[in-house]
């Protein structure tokens, strides 16, 4: 039964890492295609898009990295959840 606990730890780390990469990928794509993303946000009528896009990028990148590293998991999970819902 001890080996099952070790597997749980490994699966938890792998799951956290995959979830972190799920947010880092789109964050990086927004960085490299900033102008097009900003134009799309403006076309869709997002208010304050010039301020919200850098904030979104920062939340996705920092939150994803912190998920992978296991730092402030509850706070980061809540922030990324809120970002996804919005």
């Amino acid at each position: 039964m001890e080996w099952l606990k070790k597997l749980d730890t490994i699966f938890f780390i792998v799951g956290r890492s995959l979830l972190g990469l799920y947010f880092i990928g789109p964050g990086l794509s927004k960085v490299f295609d900033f102008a097009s993303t900003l134009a799309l946000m403006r076309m869709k009528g997002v208010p304050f898009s010039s301020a919200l896009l850098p904030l979104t990028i920062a939340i996705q990148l920092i939150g994803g990295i912190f998920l992978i590293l296991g730092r402030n998991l509850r706070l980061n999970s809540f922030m990324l959840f809120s970002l996804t819902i919005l």
Side-chain angles (χ1 to χ4, degrees), residues 12 15-23 58-86:
F12 184 66
R16 262 192 0 237
S17 298
L18 290 174
L19 192 58
L21 290 173
Y22 176 79
F23 287 101
I59 290 172
Q60 284 184 325
L61 292 178
I62 294 170
I65 291 169
F66 277 13
L67 272 180
I68 292 172
L69 296 176
R71 303 279 183 163
N72 299 329
L73 289 175
R74 287 186 179 100
L75 176 63
N76 284 316
S77 298
F78 179 72
M79 284 184 0
L80 291 171
F81 168 77
S82 300
L83 179 70
T84 302
I85 293 302
L86 290 175

Side-chain angles (χ1 to χ4, degrees), residues 37-49:
T37 305
L38 187 60
L40 178 66
M41 288 176 72
R42 287 182 177 161
M43 186 178 71
K44 297 290 183 178
V46 176
F48 308 112
S49 55

Side-chain angles (χ1 to χ4, degrees), residues 18-34:
L18 290 174
L19 192 58
L21 290 173
Y22 176 79
F23 287 101
I24 290 173
L28 287 176
S29 71
K30 286 177 181 71
V31 169
F32 292 120
D33 200 14
F34 190 87

